[in-house]
């Protein structure tokens, strides 16, 4: 038993060592990736629940690693957050989304607003407002086209500071969404005071609709809250007609998910914009 215990121990340390090495190499690659612009944005439509019309989109970051291929944001965003690289990366995302929308506008496409994800680090960064103002100014993009998604935990940590920052973002003319809503601990009185436009229902609540009773109750509660506060709602991760019908019948305004479209490269998304309506 002792022998076996020792082997098990060695096995674990080896695995841990491998993970540390892997992690370090990912970190080094990430520094290079920022310098060598190996990132691209994919765009996922957000559609009007009643008509299927594309009314906005979410920009999702993709890393095209020269050797690893596509690396998921689930893998590299946490590393970027721990190393502080997320701040320049987030600023790149804002700039790239603005640049792309300005190009589409110049081409005469029926452009819709695009939401970018900003991490708590970006939200608290000194350069947040100047970098966004600079992206809008240098691309000439009207600010109403830029939406910002912030997670519930990012804005609820220091509500007073958050309130000031959200107010400043609003005065730039941006739309603001609270992402992954329902997964954090929002104080309702704080939420009511925040100058936000939309709540995004986290995919974990949408996934088991309509059969899962607790998921259904949570979604209904979020919708009631949003309606009471006069906020729009986006349901994320809508994959089935049954989920769509449930959400529609409860007056969820906007849908996003594989049922309509996966996140697409810019050129494919431009084609969807030309069509305008998804199912
Ligand atoms: P998120 O902001 O909650 O984004 C939604 C995620 O759900 C995306 O995963 C999207 O591709 C996926 N998704 C959309 N519809 C469906 C569906 O119907 N079914 C399923 N199974 N998934 C769906 P993705 O692109 O892998 O991004 C994962 C997370 O990484 C994002 O979650 C966000 O937290 C983060 N992320 C992505 N891009 C950025 C970025 O530019 N900046 C920051 N800070 N975080 C980002
Ligand atoms: Ca998001
Ligand atoms: Ca989300
Ligand atoms: Ca989510």
């Amino acid at each position: 038993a002792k022998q076996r215990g020792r082997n098990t121990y060695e096995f674990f340390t080896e695995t841990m060592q491998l993970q540390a090495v892997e992690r370090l190499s990912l970190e080094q690659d990430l520094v290079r990736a920022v310098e060598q612009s190996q990132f691209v944005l994919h765009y996922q439509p957000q559609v009007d629940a009643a008509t299927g019309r594309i009314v906005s989109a979410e920009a999702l970051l993709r890393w095209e690693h020269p050797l690893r291929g596509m690396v998921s944001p689930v893998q590299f965003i946490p590393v970027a957050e721990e190393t502080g690289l997320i701040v320049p990366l987030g600023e790149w995302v804002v700039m790239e989304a603005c640049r792309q929308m300005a190009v589409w506008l110049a081409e005469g496409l029926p452009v819709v607003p695009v939401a970018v994800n900003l991490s708590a680090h970006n939200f608290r960064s000194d350069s947040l407002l100047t970098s966004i103002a600079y992206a809008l100014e240098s691309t000439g993009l009207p600010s109403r086209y830029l939406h910002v998604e912030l997670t519930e935990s990012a804005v609820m940590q220091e509500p007073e500071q958050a309130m000031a920052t959200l107010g400043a973002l609003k005065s730039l003319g941006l739309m603001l969404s609270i992402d992954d809503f329902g997964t954090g601990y929002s104080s309702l009185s704080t939420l009511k005071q925040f100058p936000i436009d939309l709540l995004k229902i986290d995919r974990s609540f949408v996934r088991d609709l309509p059969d899962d009773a607790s998921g259904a109750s949570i979604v209904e509660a979020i919708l009631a809250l949003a309606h009471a506060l006069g906020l729009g709602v986006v349901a994320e991760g809508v994959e089935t007609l049954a989920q769509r019908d449930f959400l529609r019948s409860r007056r969820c305004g906007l849908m996003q998910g594989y049922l309509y479209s996966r996140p697409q490269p810019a050129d494919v998304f431009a084609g969807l914009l030309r069509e305008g309506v998804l199912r």
Side-chain angles (χ1 to χ4, degrees), residues 58 117 149 179-180 200-203 236:
E58 178 176 9
N117 291 281
E149 292 188 5
D179 206 354
D180 299 343
K200 292 193 75 177
I201 304 178
D202 192 62
R203 182 159 63 86
E236 66 178 22

Side-chain angles (χ1 to χ4, degrees), residues 6-240:
R6 205 174 130 226
N7 286 343
T8 310
Y9 175 73
E10 276 170 9
F11 170 75
F12 277 122
T13 47
E14 247 173 64
T15 310
M16 278 156 58
Q17 214 170 326
L18 269 177
Q19 281 172 351
V21 170
E22 163 64 17
R23 155 76 209 232
L24 187 64
S25 98
L26 193 69
E27 202 174 305
Q28 287 164 345
D29 286 4
L30 203 54
V31 175
R32 216 170 305 133
V34 178
E35 289 161 0
Q36 300 181 354
S37 56
Q38 292 166 4
F39 294 101
V40 290
L41 293 182
H42 283 191
Y43 298 87
Q44 187 177 34
Q46 297 173 335
V47 309
D48 181 313
T51 63
R53 175 164 293 280
I54 301 173
V55 292
S56 47
E58 178 176 9
L60 293 154
L61 193 55
R62 298 289 179 263
W63 179 9
E64 291 175 327
H65 190 284
L67 301 175
R68 297 168 196 261
M70 279 287 191
V71 185
S72 161
V74 178
Q75 282 175 279
F76 70 82
I77 293 283
V79 181
E81 293 196 325
E82 284 164 39
T83 54
L85 277 169
I86 193 71
V87 173
L89 193 53
E91 292 176 357
W92 179 84
V93 168
V94 170
M95 178 60 93
E96 174 59 15
C98 291
R99 185 201 64 78
Q100 182 62 76
M101 282 187 274
V103 168
W104 284 332
L105 280 173
E107 290 173 354
L109 257 74
V111 179
V112 296
V114 169
V116 295
N117 291 281
L118 289 183
S119 93
H121 296 269
N122 284 103
F123 187 59
R124 283 193 284 271
S125 144
D126 289 337
S127 51
L128 175 76
L129 294 166
T130 47
S131 64
I132 292 179
Y134 178 71
L136 293 169
E137 202 177 288
S138 61
T139 59
L141 183 77
S143 60
R144 66 174 180 280
Y145 286 106
L146 186 62
H147 291 192
V148 166
E149 292 188 5
L150 295 156
T151 60
E152 190 179 5
S153 52
V155 296
M156 285 297 163
Q157 257 167 35
E158 289 169 60
E160 281 185 20
Q161 186 59 45
M163 180 85 77
T165 309
L166 292 171
L169 291 170
K170 278 313 289 179
S171 39
L172 284 176
L174 314 185
M175 289 256 284
L176 305 177
S177 309
I178 303 296
D179 206 354
D180 299 343
F181 191 77
T183 61
Y185 301 90
S186 284
S187 133
L188 295 187
S189 58
T190 307
L191 192 67
K192 182 169 164 271
Q193 292 169 53
F194 278 166
I196 52 172
D197 303 288
L198 283 163
L199 299 181
K200 292 193 75 177
I201 304 178
D202 192 62
R203 182 159 63 86
S204 59
F205 304 122
V206 173
R207 189 164 40 214
D208 300 323
L209 291 181
D211 304 324
D212 174 52
S214 69
S217 312
I218 292 169
V219 167
E220 284 170 341
I222 295 175
L223 285 165
L225 176 66
H227 293 147
L229 295 177
L231 302 173
V233 186
V234 184
E236 66 178 22
V238 179
E239 295 183 350
T240 69

